[in-house]
Amino acid sequence: MSALQPSDLDRPALARGRSAAADADLKSVSAALRRAEFGDRLRSLALAAPLLLLLALSFGIPIVLLLSRAVYDPTIADALPRTTAALVDWNGQGLPGDAALTALAADLSDNQAKGTAYELAKSINARLPGARSQVLKTVRKLENAGGQPPLDVMKSVPFWTAPGTWPAIASGAHKLTSFYLLSALDLRWNADGGIERVPPEQAIFLQVFMRTFLVAASVTLATLLLGFPLAYLISSVPKGLAAILIVAVLLPFWTSILVRTAAWTVLLQKFGLVNDLLLWLGVTSDRLDLMYSRMGLIIAMTHIQLPFTLLPIYSVMRTIQPSQMKAAYSLGAKPFTAFRRVYLPQVFPGVMAGCLLTFILCLGYYITPALIGGASDQLISNFIANYVNVELNWEMAAALSFILLVFTLALFGIFARILGFDRLKLV
């Protein structure tokens, strides 16, 4: 055997030295790449900063401020400081003492002097229906009392000795409140501090939410039944004819929703074109009442929403090669089996994306239900608009908007959980 050379003994050490140097080089390269990527992100963020700031100022912050009013209502607490202080030791049972009535009389007089009595009456009325007229009546009596003591004036109005009046005022003494969110779900706090359902004659919002989701689901199903075959036809015909069909689909899409809804108010009249067509085809023997009905509302909304369901489906269908179905046929698959096991799984993300888009948009419909739907077909957006524009009850509008937003985000989360964000093909 030949003797070991010194160079042979140094080879492991040399190898370790080269490995350590390679690791150091790799770490330095990785650090340089991270620094470069961080710089690219900063530059991208700087370029997008004006747009993000605009969105925050014009969209994000106003929405947050509006939704915050669902849990923040300082009207009663700010308008009745003496009454709030007098109710600190009240246990909520029976009626408070004369000190609370005297404090309330002083607060009402101050609000009348400041011109805020109507706002206070409106806020109490939101918690106790019918309170607005009683508050304003009391304010006028206090103003014209002359030498009559304020306590006697308060006791002369039976409203202030009714059992439910003072709990409503006490519940509004806190600026942070759950009253409106519970009311949006037809719930309320009871005298024992628990949550209970409101009486059936006052429970309206859950029914409206269910109606909104039912109409949205019906329109989504109708657009899917119409849009899927049409999308398949467009993806199967030659490009020239496909372009004509796409334009035919998009042409109504480019028209204002208000114009299309107004057109349907003409078409759906009892002596309109739709009834004339049904009679001519022999579908019905008498004219139908399609205006101000659930059926007419679904027809109009389906026409408006059809492109939103069709386009995501078509965008997926056009990427599927016809040779896949031919290969399935050649392997012995029947047409329905090939469609179910080869074609449909590839189209499924587009179908779900189109249905999700249509369903979410239908939840916020306002103009079409207002013009075509009847009194029993108004959706939750109509109630929100009424509270904002007519009742001027922004807190209730914010609560209904918050509940609708939570339902919508939950639905979107379920779809994203099932499909994944990368598979939701919206275009």
Side-chain angles (χ1 to χ4, degrees):
M1 294 178 63
S2 61
L4 292 173
Q5 300 297 325
S7 59
D8 295 333
L9 296 175
D10 295 338
R11 285 176 182 173
L14 291 173
R16 286 194 297 271
R18 293 192 192 99
S19 177
D23 291 342
D25 292 340
L26 181 60
K27 290 179 180 179
S28 63
V29 171
S30 299
L33 287 175
R34 285 194 296 269
R35 287 193 297 271
E37 291 176 355
F38 181 72
D40 292 339
R41 292 194 188 99
L42 285 180
R43 284 190 290 271
S44 301
L45 182 60
L47 291 174
L51 177 60
L52 295 177
L53 181 61
L54 177 62
L55 289 176
L57 293 177
S58 62
F59 186 74
I61 295 178
I63 288 180
V64 172
L65 292 177
L66 173 63
L67 294 180
S68 67
R69 301 192 66 163
V71 294
Y72 181 73
D73 182 17
T75 305
I76 297 178
D78 291 344
L80 304 177
R82 299 182 184 88
T83 308
T84 301
L87 293 177
V88 170
D89 298 328
W90 183 51
N91 60 4
Q93 302 296 326
L95 297 175
D98 291 347
L101 281 172
T102 304
L104 178 60
D107 287 333
L108 290 177
S109 298
D110 288 348
N111 280 272
Q112 178 67 2
K114 296 176 184 177
T116 57
Y118 181 79
E119 290 297 324
L120 172 62
K122 181 172 67 69
S123 183
I124 298 178
N125 189 80
R127 299 170 180 272
L128 191 63
R132 181 186 304 174
S133 60
Q134 298 297 321
V135 172
L136 297 178
K137 172 184 175 182
T138 305
V139 167
R140 289 191 295 268
K141 278 195 170 188
L142 288 171
E143 191 175 19
N144 302 320
Q148 187 179 7
L151 182 60
D152 294 340
V153 175
M154 298 298 296
K155 289 184 177 181
S156 67
V157 181
F159 175 75
W160 302 112
T161 57
T165 300
W166 288 98
I169 295 177
S171 67
H174 304 284
K175 295 183 179 181
L176 292 177
T177 177
S178 60
F179 171 79
Y180 296 103
L181 288 178
L182 291 177
S183 298
L185 296 173
D186 292 333
L187 301 172
R188 68 179 181 184
W189 293 102
N190 56 27
D192 298 328
I195 297 177
E196 65 180 8
R197 302 189 68 84
V198 301
E201 62 273 10
Q202 300 178 15
I204 58 173
F205 294 119
L206 284 182
Q207 181 181 358
V208 176
F209 275 113
M210 292 177 60
R211 180 194 308 157
T212 301
F213 278 83
L214 177 61
V215 170
S218 301
V219 173
T220 302
L221 179 61
T223 56
L224 178 61
L225 294 177
L226 294 174
F228 191 95
L230 183 56
Y232 181 80
L233 175 64
I234 296 174
S235 64
S236 303
V237 298
K239 292 184 178 180
L241 181 56
I244 296 175
L245 293 176
I246 285 291
V247 170
V249 170
L250 291 178
L251 189 59
F253 183 69
W254 295 330
T255 308
S256 169
I257 292 181
L258 181 59
V259 173
R260 282 180 282 175
T261 302
W264 277 109
T265 60
V266 176
L267 295 174
L268 295 175
Q269 296 289 338
K270 195 164 187 177
F271 292 91
L273 295 179
V274 174
N275 266 302
D276 290 342
L277 179 62
L278 293 177
L279 288 173
W280 182 71
L281 294 175
V283 176
T284 61
S285 58
D286 196 6
R287 294 183 178 272
L288 304 177
D289 292 322
L290 297 177
M291 275 296 295
Y292 311 117
S293 68
R294 183 73 54 85
M295 179 60 66
L297 175 62
I298 291 176
I299 291 174
M301 291 178 63
T302 299
H303 170 251
I304 296 172
Q305 287 298 130
L306 182 59
F308 292 97
T309 304
L310 183 146
L311 292 177
I313 299 175
Y314 168 70
S315 67
V316 177
M317 285 183 173
R318 68 179 182 179
T319 63
I320 301 175
Q321 298 298 326
S323 58
Q324 297 183 18
M325 297 295 289
K326 295 178 181 178
Y329 298 152
S330 67
L331 293 175
K334 295 181 179 179
F336 179 75
T337 303
F339 173 80
R340 180 174 59 86
R341 301 188 61 179
V342 177
Y343 194 81
L344 191 58
Q346 299 182 73
V347 182
F348 186 72
V351 172
M352 291 295 100
C355 291
L356 176 64
L357 183 61
T358 293
F359 189 85
I360 290 178
L361 290 175
C362 288
L363 294 179
Y365 260 67
Y366 164 67
I367 294 178
T368 307
L371 295 180
I372 296 180
S376 61
D377 299 314
Q378 301 304 294
L379 307 185
I380 195 64
S381 56
N382 300 101
F383 283 79
I384 294 173
N386 180 72
Y387 278 116
V388 171
N389 299 322
V390 180
E391 299 290 336
L392 301 179
N393 188 347
W394 285 53
E395 289 77 19
M396 199 66 224
L400 293 174
S401 301
F402 182 81
I403 299 298
L404 181 61
L405 178 62
V406 169
F407 284 156
T408 304
L409 292 178
L411 178 66
F412 184 80
I414 293 173
F415 271 75
R417 180 74 175 176
I418 295 174
L419 295 178
F421 285 102
D422 58 329
R423 299 187 66 196
L424 284 176
K425 301 181 182 296
L426 296 178
V427 294

